[in-house]
């Protein structure tokens, strides 16, 4: 009779996985299936639960990193996340002492500050967006990036 319960559990976990498509219950479905197979040969519930836990953990540990790598590989950055790494020109001089600095991207004006928090970056300088801090873009001049690469080599 326990075999039927384990198979029902497997079906429910697979159904949850199909509905959510988030790779959360597939490993437990594998564990429940393994426990169902064990229940055919052993009526001991402790052994069945131990097999369920062990198989679930092993499947999770071995396959999750691989699955996450391939499932999330095609996710495109959107909105603000898509700005990081882009290059643009400074519209208003970035001056930390006066708390000024603007960049225009896609007709949208953004506040900006230098990556080191001290450098003045003149208007018209080509910069690369390194990160986003609050509502400001943290940028670094392209020349600074070239010098960094040369120093590392």
């Amino acid at each position: 009779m326990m075999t039927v319960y384990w198979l029902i559990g497997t079906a429910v976990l697979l159904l949850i996985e199909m509905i959510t498509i988030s790779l959360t219950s597939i490993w437990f479905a594998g564990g429940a299936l393994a426990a169902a197979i064990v229940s055919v040969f052993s009526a001991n519930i402790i052994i069945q639960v131990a097999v369920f836990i062990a198989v679930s953990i092993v499947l999770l540990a071995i396959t999750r990193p691989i699955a996450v790598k391939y499932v999330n590989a095609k996710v495109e950055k959107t909105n603000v996340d898509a700005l990081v790494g882009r290059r643009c020109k400074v519209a208003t001089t970035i001056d930390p002492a006066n708390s000024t600095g603007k960049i225009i991207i896609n007709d949208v004006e953004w506040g900006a500050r230098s990556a080191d928090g001290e450098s003045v970056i003149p208007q018209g300088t080509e910069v690369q967006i390194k990160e986003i801090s609050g509502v400001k873009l943290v940028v670094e001049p392209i020349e600074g990036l070239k010098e960094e690469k040369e120093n590392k080599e």
Side-chain angles (χ1 to χ4, degrees):
M1 189 66 186
M2 284 305 294
T3 305
V4 173
Y5 293 137
W6 284 115
L7 291 174
I8 290 171
T10 302
V12 169
L13 289 165
L14 287 173
L15 182 63
I16 291 170
E17 185 62 40
M18 289 187 327
I19 291 170
T20 62
I21 311 173
S22 60
L23 296 176
T24 54
S25 62
I26 190 76
W27 299 283
F28 302 109
L33 183 60
I37 293 168
V38 168
S39 71
V40 171
F41 302 106
S42 173
N44 189 338
I45 189 71
I46 294 172
I47 294 173
Q48 294 171 27
V49 170
V51 167
F52 168 74
I53 292 170
V55 170
S56 296
I57 290 172
V58 168
L59 287 174
L60 183 66
I62 292 173
T63 61
R64 189 172 197 306
I66 297 166
V68 168
K69 179 180 176 182
Y70 290 107
V71 170
N72 293 331
K74 295 180 182 177
V75 174
E76 286 187 35
K77 292 182 179 178
T78 58
N79 301 331
V80 178
D81 294 333
L83 297 177
V84 176
R86 286 191 56 184
R87 294 178 175 206
C88 55
K89 290 194 178 192
V90 176
T92 305
T93 300
I94 298 171
D95 186 358
N98 296 321
S99 296
T100 61
K102 300 277 184 209
I103 293 174
I104 297 176
I105 300 174
N106 299 334
D107 297 326
V108 177
E109 190 174 271
W110 288 84
R113 67 178 178 87
S114 59
D116 63 9
E118 298 173 4
S119 302
V120 174
I121 304 174
Q123 180 179 352
T125 304
E126 189 175 4
V127 294
Q128 183 174 19
I129 301 167
K130 302 305 278 178
E131 65 179 286
I132 300 161
S133 178
V135 294
K136 290 198 176 216
L137 301 177
V138 178
V139 299
E140 188 171 68
I142 299 299
E143 296 84 40
L145 292 173
K146 289 177 186 172
E147 289 171 12
E148 252 183 50
K149 286 181 183 175
E150 289 172 3
N151 290 338
K152 287 181 181 177
E153 294 173 354

